[in-house]
Amino acid sequence: MRAIWSGEVSFGLVTVPIKLYSATQSHDLSLHQVHDDDGGRIRYERHCEVCGEKVDYKDIDKAYDSGESTVVLTKEELGDLPADDSKEIAVEQFVPEDQIDSMELDKSYYLEPAGKSAKAYVLLRRTLEESSRVAIVTFTLRSKTRLGVLRVRDDVIVLQGLRWADELREPDFDIPKSRLTKKEQEMATSLVDSYSEDFDPDRFKDEYQDQLHTLVEEKLAHGEDIDTEATFGDVEDEEEGDGNVIDLMEALKQSVDSRRKSSGKGSGDSGSKSGSAKGSSKGGATKGESKGASSKGTAKSSGSRQKQKAS
């Protein structure tokens, strides 16, 4: 990892020298544009619309258009703004973490202690942990004053950017009022229960990026002309039910039934019928029971498929 910024965290008269690292990265495959006729790379050049000349980046200033006139802001003027020189992450408040709306959160950074001693860093980290609060801070990064929050993650202090209050938009639309029946609410709750489990981020994969990598590797190995059907198989969208769901209640019922079948909790399989009946009579199987039922149901279904193939 390479530090992108260095400075200090200050709260009161205490200063904590730190280095800043980006805590996230994109896993997207990097692509560029080419001409579809000959494969030539597409380049974008900056041209002045007044003189028509090509302009180097070093010769470009920024400007604001008010609608009636334009104000040009030079690099020197922007560099002279007082906030641009700040190397301080200033603690403004300590607040309960649940007061931070997730919509306000932005990019995350790791803070590493700098200097010969990490005592001040450890003190700040322990203060955050024991107070059960997060620190609201202001700082300047890439010439912009920013708002952020300091919190602890796995013994490391994390700085997470916050959006300014006026950057959050209010929804400019009305939601029609709807009456829900008790049965619809109960069925929706049952559907939520069937999907309820602990969050495991490693379980989820970016299928598009995986397939994109496979496509690139196949073309590198076998040339431009490849059989995508042979590479990925003939993938068809799986559709369950008769496709004629006409109301919310029927959609909920089919969703619950489908989820129960896929998790081995349904009563559709004769092999798992007794276990499913016991679970439903008690208001739902326990976590251990549902796992057992699922594994047994899977084993039986795979065995029956093998028998069908053999016959």
Side-chain angles (χ1 to χ4, degrees):
M1 297 175 70
R2 185 176 66 179
I4 62 173
W5 188 86
S6 61
E8 60 185 25
V9 178
S10 65
F11 63 113
L13 298 178
V14 179
T15 59
V16 185
I18 55 92
K19 292 181 180 179
L20 195 71
Y21 298 85
S22 181
T24 59
Q25 61 184 4
S26 173
H27 65 200
D28 288 2
L29 193 65
S30 179
L31 303 175
H32 59 260
Q33 295 179 326
V34 296
H35 187 191
D36 62 357
D37 186 46
D38 55 22
R41 186 161 182 173
I42 303 299
R43 302 285 183 178
Y44 290 93
E45 297 180 342
R46 302 176 181 87
H47 289 87
C48 175
E49 65 179 18
V50 175
C51 65
E53 293 184 1
K54 180 181 175 181
V55 183
D56 291 333
Y57 186 77
K58 64 181 179 62
D59 296 323
I60 296 177
D61 282 330
K62 295 182 179 180
Y64 173 76
D65 188 350
S66 67
E68 297 179 355
S69 59
T70 299
V71 176
V72 177
L73 305 172
T74 68
K75 300 182 193 64
E76 292 74 18
E77 290 171 335
L78 293 174
D80 287 340
L81 293 177
D84 188 51
D85 294 330
S86 176
K87 287 289 186 179
E88 180 185 54
I89 300 175
V91 175
E92 308 289 348
Q93 295 177 306
F94 287 95
V95 303
E97 188 169 10
D98 59 8
Q99 291 184 0
I100 306 299
D101 190 330
S102 59
M103 286 185 63
E104 298 172 349
L105 297 174
D106 206 350
K107 190 172 176 61
S108 299
Y109 305 90
Y110 289 129
L111 300 189
E112 178 193 28
K116 297 180 180 179
S117 174
K119 186 173 183 179
Y121 182 96
V122 174
L123 174 63
L124 176 58
R125 184 189 67 194
R126 189 172 297 174
T127 300
L128 290 170
E129 290 175 325
E130 294 184 355
S131 66
S132 299
R133 290 175 177 260
V134 295
I136 303 299
V137 300
T138 53
F139 62 105
T140 301
L141 182 63
R142 298 188 179 97
S143 302
K144 291 184 178 180
T145 302
R146 303 170 190 261
L147 187 66
V149 56
L150 295 182
R151 57 187 179 83
V152 179
R153 183 179 187 269
D154 298 333
D155 294 333
V156 177
I157 299 176
V158 174
L159 168 62
Q160 193 155 16
L162 292 176
R163 299 187 183 279
W164 299 99
D166 60 356
E167 291 182 316
L168 294 180
R169 301 174 64 185
E170 293 295 331
D172 189 19
F173 53 84
D174 296 323
I175 300 176
K177 293 183 178 180
S178 301
R179 296 185 63 182
L180 298 174
T181 67
K182 183 179 180 182
K183 190 65 177 178
E184 287 171 337
Q185 188 61 63
E186 290 175 349
M187 191 64 73
T189 301
S190 179
L191 181 59
V192 170
D193 289 341
S194 68
Y195 277 86
S196 296
E197 54 190 343
D198 291 332
F199 175 55
D200 178 12
D202 292 329
R203 169 184 168 183
F204 301 95
K205 304 298 180 184
D206 188 341
E207 294 182 1
Y208 175 79
Q209 287 298 320
D210 289 344
Q211 293 167 6
L212 187 59
H213 278 273
T214 300
L215 179 61
V216 170
E217 290 166 2
E218 285 294 312
K219 298 198 77 169
L220 287 173
H222 304 293
E224 289 298 314
D225 297 324
I226 66 168
D227 187 346
T228 55
E229 185 173 324
T231 302
F232 299 105
D234 188 10
V235 181
E236 296 182 359
D237 293 336
E238 295 183 2
E239 294 185 3
E240 298 184 3
D242 58 9
N244 294 319
V245 177
I246 58 175
D247 59 28
L248 179 60
M249 189 63 195
E250 184 64 20
L252 289 167
K253 184 178 182 301
Q254 289 192 20
S255 298
V256 172
D257 291 344
S258 174
R259 180 62 178 174
R260 285 175 176 171
K261 288 178 182 178
S262 66
S263 61
K265 296 179 182 179
S267 57
D269 290 342
S270 59
S272 60
K273 186 177 292 184
S274 60
S276 187
K278 289 179 181 179
S280 60
S281 65
K282 294 179 181 179
T286 62
K287 190 174 184 180
E289 290 171 342
S290 64
K291 284 186 176 180
S294 177
S295 59
K296 289 178 183 177
T298 304
K300 288 187 178 182
S301 61
S302 61
S304 63
R305 285 196 297 269
Q306 291 174 357
K307 288 181 181 180
Q308 290 175 358
K309 287 184 178 180
S311 62

